[in-house]
Amino acid sequence: MTRVDFAFGAPDRLRAACQTARKRYLAGQRLVVYCSDGSRLSAFDRMLWAFDDTAFVPHVLAKDPLAERTPVVLTATDPQSAPGMEPTAWLLNLDDACPPRYDGFERVLEIVSDDAAEKQAARARWRDYQAAGHSLHSHDLSRGA
C-alpha cells in the first residue's frame, strides 16, 4: 500500500517542493514530480534552478533523452510512464487532484500552502487517498517557520 505524506502550512508551495526535491536527491531517492498544469510545472522547473544559490537538483522533463538517468523527472502525464521509473521511486504531486496511477509508487508527497483553494483541494485529495485505503501521514510545516 502506498504511503501518502501531506505537508501542510508551507509558506510557498513550490519553494517547499524545491526543498523537498533537493532532500530526496541528496538522499539518493529517485523522484517523479507530477502536475497536469503545464504552467505550474514550468514554474517549478524554473524555480528548481534558482531557489537556492548553492543548491543543485539535477532534473529534466520526462520527454528529455536524459530522463532515464536523471534523479528528478518532471511530468504532466501519467507518472508511472516516466522514463526510468522504478518501484522504489517517490512521487511528488503538485497537481490539484490525485495523480493518475499513483498507487504504483512507494510514497506520494503532497505539499500544501495556507492558500484557501489549495487547502480545499488538499482536503479532497486526502479523502480520495483515505477512501482508497492508503496510509496517510500529516506534517505541519508552519512549526518549523
Side-chain angles (χ1 to χ4, degrees):
M1 192 62 44
T2 300
R3 175 182 165 138
V4 182
D5 288 272
F6 276 82
F8 291 98
D12 180 320
R13 184 181 189 192
L14 292 185
R15 183 167 184 73
C18 287
Q19 293 164 337
T20 298
R22 177 174 56 189
K23 286 178 188 175
R24 299 298 12 112
Y25 163 64
L26 292 174
Q29 180 69 49
R30 184 153 174 79
L31 182 69
V32 177
V33 180
Y34 170 78
C35 186
S36 66
D37 179 344
S39 61
R40 185 181 303 160
L41 194 62
S42 291
F44 178 70
D45 181 20
R46 286 189 307 276
M47 188 177 274
L48 267 177
W49 290 108
F51 80 100
D52 186 319
D53 291 341
T54 61
F56 174 67
V57 179
H59 68 284
V60 295
L61 296 174
K63 61 186 174 190
D64 190 287
L66 296 174
E68 196 164 320
R69 298 185 314 233
T70 305
V72 177
V73 176
L74 314 182
T75 186
T77 61
D78 178 6
Q80 282 281 343
S81 64
M85 218 311 269
E86 52 198 49
T88 59
W90 288 13
L91 175 63
L92 173 60
N93 183 33
L94 294 179
D95 205 70
D96 293 332
C98 293
R101 298 189 332 136
Y102 64 84
D103 53 350
F105 288 86
E106 180 178 308
R107 217 157 158 185
V108 176
L109 308 175
E110 294 273 357
I111 298 173
V112 185
S113 76
D114 283 329
D115 177 78
E118 269 188 41
K119 288 196 297 192
Q120 183 175 3
R123 288 182 186 116
R125 291 192 306 276
W126 179 283
R127 287 189 299 272
D128 289 344
Y129 291 128
Q130 191 172 47
H134 296 291
S135 173
L136 299 173
H137 302 268
S138 178
H139 311 276
D140 186 355
L141 296 179
S142 66
R143 290 184 189 168

